[in-house]
Amino acid sequence: MSKPRGFFYPRSATGRASLIPPPPWHYSGDLLTIEYRTDPAAVAELLPAPLEPAAEDSGAVALIWADWQSCGESREELLDPVRSQYRECFAVVRCRFEGRIYSRCVYIWVDKDFALLRGIHQGYPKKLGSIHMTRPHPYGPAPRLAKAARLGATLAAADRRLAEAVIVLEAPTEKNGFVNAHPMAHHRWLPAIDGPGDVHAELIESAGARFEGGAPWRAKVEAFRLFDSPTEELALLPPREIICGYYRQIGVVWNGGKSLQSSVAR
Amino acid sequence: MSKPRGFFYPRSATGRASLIPPPPWHYSGDLLTIEYRTDPAAVAELLPAPLEPAAEDSGAVALIWADWQSCGESREELLDPVRSQYRECFAVVRCRFEGRIYSRCVYIWVDKDFALLRGIHQGYPKKLGSIHMTRPHPYGPAPRLAKAARLGATLAAADRRLAEAVIVLEAPTEKNGFVNAHPMAHHRWLPAIDGPGDVHAELIESAGARFEGGAPWRAKVEAFRLFDSPTEELALLPPREIICGYYRQIGVVWNGGKSLQSSVAR
Amino acid sequence: MSKPRGFFYPRSATGRASLIPPPPWHYSGDLLTIEYRTDPAAVAELLPAPLEPAAEDSGAVALIWADWQSCGESREELLDPVRSQYRECFAVVRCRFEGRIYSRCVYIWVDKDFALLRGIHQGYPKKLGSIHMTRPHPYGPAPRLAKAARLGATLAAADRRLAEAVIVLEAPTEKNGFVNAHPMAHHRWLPAIDGPGDVHAELIESAGARFEGGAPWRAKVEAFRLFDSPTEELALLPPREIICGYYRQIGVVWNGGKSLQSSVAR
Amino acid sequence: MSKPRGFFYPRSATGRASLIPPPPWHYSGDLLTIEYRTDPAAVAELLPAPLEPAAEDSGAVALIWADWQSCGESREELLDPVRSQYRECFAVVRCRFEGRIYSRCVYIWVDKDFALLRGIHQGYPKKLGSIHMTRPHPYGPAPRLAKAARLGATLAAADRRLAEAVIVLEAPTEKNGFVNAHPMAHHRWLPAIDGPGDVHAELIESAGARFEGGAPWRAKVEAFRLFDSPTEELALLPPREIICGYYRQIGVVWNGGKSLQSSVAR
């Protein structure tokens, strides 16, 4: 009998066809972040038990655009960049589990299938979207990565614009915000094949295994709009108060996480 | 504490943002099928234990192109067709489990995210691809759905063409082939978050809950080519002998399946 | 010296690389039309001199969605359908030139490059867009092409939704509307390379060389919305009054037109 | 009577809908170039009279990948980057006209409509394609912009891969190659609406109005493959001998050109 190989779908005799290689996964990317406060109740209702709202500033949200190049250990994807380049936009909140603070991605859109399938593994609730962000550049009309650079970012899905923002870089700063600064607490769900409920429901923790990056830039949020859609609920987290914008270039390695709790509701 | 709702990712207070609604899922579509024989060993190595090769004609493969409109119970997706229309191309083989014959999809490409996520639920090993097939039409240069209609079909992924075919309709026939004619036996895998192996590995059976369709057309396979790619293994199932081509318009309902076996390797 | 061949860009020794073959061009397609009245002044300001508004009902507009398969004389594109299938949405008004009534496309979005380049030849002001329309189907949840069929249609460009509509088929009728029923009067412009103005500005007339089609269906317009965008002006033609909806399957041949007037402004 | 405004299609009362603003157009971008020699006869047959092959090294070709952000005078596109970012891949040869040497783009693929329409103005024979190139990055697995950086580049159109390359940066150098180093000599063609031949055929010259850039990097060409396609002829310019690879970041302004010759064949 055979034992097909491959980290995830599809599995085959060699494992070559698998849409994603096993971790570790390596990333180079640019992050454009907008931190703001929304109604804490709107965040709380997105947190499944036993997660609880953060004790302080529980309505804080980070909406983050990212422009990535990623690869597995072989790094071969980098030379066939249709397989390594992707963009994403995701909304992060904070929550509490057993007394610790976690970050948690509540909505996320990516533009490649390998990123979507990695999300299934990591508990990111990924959909496809169209994501764009201005790229700093040393020549011509695009802004330099420097004070006063104006950077735009947009998100659309299913042919509807969902978010757009403009930030203006002010000065290097210490931190790239505080909302996405904790280990992630995500659920990995698999609905049962034969009726309601999940056959697998696992709360996991994960964080970057290695990290490097330039100094974050603090930015003024010049424009920020969320748009409604019949199939999206990002606009149910409207900004009451802008905290700050950020821009940062980073390198990160993701290499798995740990299981915090497995519970099957059925 | 909250209990977010939604059949699958993302879950929210209302469930509206879920990329897919709960089953039943309803489909209208056109299927273009090429059945052929490859080396039985190439099929066998794709069947994880305890699945075994079919007792007869175990090298038979169906490569199927499908042009779908699909929706949940509300049928609202049909009126916002960016959410209902998608195309796919998939390779099906047969296998045996506890003495019964099953069909099994070994490779599949789709062009929408909702189809990809449904695949995670159903155990289809979906990637994104670019799928095209000639559509019969009653007027102008496109072929009528009638004898002598010539229909082309192509598949690409990651900017590489993977398959192309041309069939010519001959006559209405009884069956739409035999390879994809059984209940599907699929694995639902979820790799462990903290090391090798799967935290969930479930063999499931599923089939259409309801079915309707026109008479299948038997077709001559005029051209059929598979192309190699560094990230695909479809070309490792090359045609040794063409069996037959088919074309059929169908309506189908999918409403879950049953678990045949759950085994966690770790 | 060489004389590269090819109907349009790029030209080469063989002409094979040309994005489009020479006319005649053959089309099979489905048309979903919404006719309505807007402010006649909003139509008039889109008509360059010497075109004048239609004498009657000069504020009438047709917004038309079309799902096409098209090809040149060889018809080879039909068997490699990524080269034949495309969708478009376009706004048509009427105008008058030398006492005759013409139709004129004022805005149009398509989803393939060959369609865009054909537009340059024909004077259609094409942009790329994302266009979707429900397809009638004989089985499953999609509507039959019959009384009470509900069909949706949407348009987006640059990640923004621009239009959406739902129609309900009522009964076969005589005509597929009146706005797009005349020969087209279009401008073919080529801006000068060395300063303001056009080096070529030609008013042309063209119409289908051959036509066949099923009975048009008259339809109730159940929903119809235009959305604003910083880069579009379709929403400056808002519906004051809905006239009627239509649905029709057709075959058409386009084989050139004639020059009505050539004027170079510089 | 009205006088609709706008640089190019579509024209409207305000000019806001025009797919492209009037020049000058501003660009920030990264160029990955491979210069090589092919059969001079294969270049010569792409040069319409009165253009002649370059007197020296007339079989030299540059295949250039570019990752751009571009905008008009208002620069507003930079903040809605779906309207400013695009990629292209193009093949350049040299030719001679009235004793001067020119560069000439013989094939080009872009991934946005505004770039395609600009090409109609500038005489670039643009098609849509899927273009990718590795982006140097200061952190993580992507290569630094430094010696030994390995960069991949790929091109596909109509679901077929057409070209792929890998280069390895060696050292800063003086020039970014010699093939694309001259003013461009392009034809602006508009086929007649009423029969064979062109109603407008203009040979134009254009060059960057302003230029800035970093030091070019000389690169070893580690891999370079062109692939055949039924609709393309790039593979008819196969590499006989690699000259060199290059990588450069630049800023450029394009602000029109001048007409060298207008000839209407009919």
Side-chain angles (χ1 to χ4, degrees), chain D residues 48-73:
Chain D
L51 301 180
E52 295 178 294
E56 292 179 22
D57 214 352
S58 68
V61 180
L63 190 64
I64 304 171
W65 279 263
D67 193 351
W68 293 115
Q69 293 179 92
S70 69
C71 59
E73 278 295 81

Side-chain angles (χ1 to χ4, degrees), chain A residues 134 141-143 150-154 161 164-166 222, chain C residues 160 229-232, chain D residues 15-22 24 26 69-85:
Chain A
T134 312
R150 296 177 77 219
L151 306 169
T154 64
R161 187 159 290 200
E164 58 188 31
V166 175
E222 193 174 277
Chain C
R160 290 179 178 92
S229 157
T231 61
E232 306 292 351
Chain D
R16 174 163 66 96
S18 175
L19 181 51
I20 48 178
H26 302 260
Q69 293 179 92
S70 69
C71 59
E73 278 295 81
S74 77
R75 306 198 176 198
E76 68 192 68
E77 300 93 328
L78 294 173
L79 297 181
D80 189 11
V82 67
R83 296 161 48 200
S84 64
Q85 296 178 349

Side-chain angles (χ1 to χ4, degrees), chain D residues 129-197:
Chain D
S130 178
I131 298 103
H132 290 82
M133 45 192 287
T134 312
R135 259 201 314 272
H137 197 272
Y139 305 101
R144 311 294 166 260
L145 185 48
K147 181 173 162 59
R150 296 176 78 218
L151 305 169
T154 64
L155 166 67
D159 285 350
R160 289 180 179 92
R161 187 158 289 199
L162 300 179
E164 58 189 31
V166 175
I167 68 171
V168 184
L169 302 192
E170 293 183 327
T173 186
E174 292 300 306
K175 305 189 66 173
N176 198 40
F178 67 96
V179 179
N180 194 33
H182 306 274
M184 310 303 288
H186 282 168
H187 277 84
R188 306 207 307 162
W189 288 308
L190 191 63
I193 196 64
D194 55 358

Side-chain angles (χ1 to χ4, degrees), chain C residues 43 47 50-58 60 92-106 178-186 203-207 257-261:
Chain C
V43 172
L47 302 176
L51 300 181
E52 295 177 294
E56 293 178 22
D57 213 353
S58 69
V92 175
V93 301
R94 289 169 310 138
C95 60
R96 198 161 30 125
F97 175 71
E98 294 186 348
R100 287 192 59 190
I101 296 294
Y102 289 90
S103 299
R104 181 177 176 92
C105 173
V106 292
F178 67 95
V179 179
N180 194 32
H182 304 275
M184 311 302 289
H186 283 168
L203 180 63
I204 60 128
E205 167 186 330
S206 86
K258 65 178 182 187
S259 193
L260 295 176
Q261 190 179 78

Side-chain angles (χ1 to χ4, degrees), chain A residues 188-242:
Chain A
R188 305 206 309 162
W189 289 309
L190 190 64
I193 196 65
D194 56 358
D198 294 319
V199 70
H200 185 80
E202 180 185 15
L203 180 64
I204 60 129
E205 167 186 330
S206 86
R210 288 204 303 277
F211 179 88
E212 58 177 346
W217 282 83
R218 192 189 69 222
K220 180 172 184 297
V221 178
E222 193 174 277
F224 182 43
R225 299 177 65 193
L226 304 180
F227 302 94
D228 202 9
S229 156
T231 61
E232 306 293 351
E233 297 181 66
L234 178 60
L236 300 184
L237 301 172
R240 283 183 168 181
E241 177 192 4
I242 297 292

Side-chain angles (χ1 to χ4, degrees), chain C residues 130-241:
Chain C
S130 178
I131 298 104
H132 289 83
M133 46 191 287
T134 312
R135 261 202 311 274
H137 196 273
Y139 305 102
R144 309 297 164 257
L145 184 48
K147 182 173 161 59
R150 296 177 79 217
L151 305 169
T154 64
L155 166 68
D159 285 350
R160 290 179 178 92
R161 187 159 291 200
L162 301 179
E164 58 189 29
V166 175
I167 66 171
V168 183
L169 303 192
E170 292 182 329
T173 186
E174 293 299 306
K175 305 190 66 174
N176 198 41
F178 67 95
V179 179
N180 194 32
H182 304 275
M184 311 302 289
H186 283 168
H187 277 84
R188 306 207 308 162
W189 288 309
L190 191 63
I193 196 65
D194 55 359
D198 295 318
V199 70
H200 185 79
E202 180 186 15
L203 180 63
I204 60 128
E205 167 186 330
S206 86
R210 287 204 303 279
F211 180 87
E212 59 177 345
W217 281 83
R218 193 190 69 221
K220 181 173 184 296
V221 177
E222 194 174 277
F224 182 43
R225 300 175 66 191
L226 303 180
F227 303 94
D228 202 9
S229 157
T231 61
E232 306 292 351
E233 297 181 67
L234 177 61
L236 300 183
L237 301 173
R240 283 183 167 181
E241 176 193 5

Side-chain angles (χ1 to χ4, degrees), chain B residues 86-231:
Chain B
Y86 73 104
R87 285 177 283 204
E88 66 188 5
C89 180
F90 56 113
V92 174
V93 300
R94 290 170 308 139
C95 60
R96 200 163 27 126
F97 175 71
E98 295 185 349
R100 286 193 61 190
I101 296 294
Y102 290 89
S103 300
R104 181 178 176 92
C105 173
V106 291
Y107 300 117
I108 179 167
W109 296 262
V110 300
D111 60 8
K112 288 280 175 67
D113 56 355
F114 59 83
L116 202 152
L117 193 61
R118 288 199 302 226
I120 298 291
H121 181 61
Q122 299 171 310
Y124 280 91
K126 292 186 177 180
K127 298 183 178 181
L128 289 183
S130 178
I131 298 103
H132 289 84
M133 45 192 288
T134 312
R135 261 201 311 273
H137 196 273
Y139 305 102
R144 311 297 165 256
L145 185 48
K147 181 173 162 60
R150 297 176 77 217
L151 305 168
T154 64
L155 166 67
D159 285 350
R160 290 180 179 92
R161 187 158 289 199
L162 300 179
E164 58 189 29
V166 175
I167 67 171
V168 183
L169 303 192
E170 292 183 327
T173 185
E174 292 301 305
K175 307 189 65 173
N176 198 41
F178 68 96
V179 178
N180 194 33
H182 305 275
M184 309 303 288
H186 283 169
H187 278 84
R188 305 207 308 162
W189 288 309
L190 191 62
I193 196 66
D194 56 358
D198 296 318
V199 71
H200 185 79
E202 180 185 15
L203 179 64
I204 61 125
E205 168 186 330
S206 87
R210 287 204 305 278
F211 180 88
E212 58 177 345
W217 282 83
R218 192 189 71 221
K220 180 172 183 298
V221 178
E222 194 174 278
F224 182 42
R225 300 176 66 192
L226 303 180
F227 303 94
D228 201 9
S229 157
T231 61

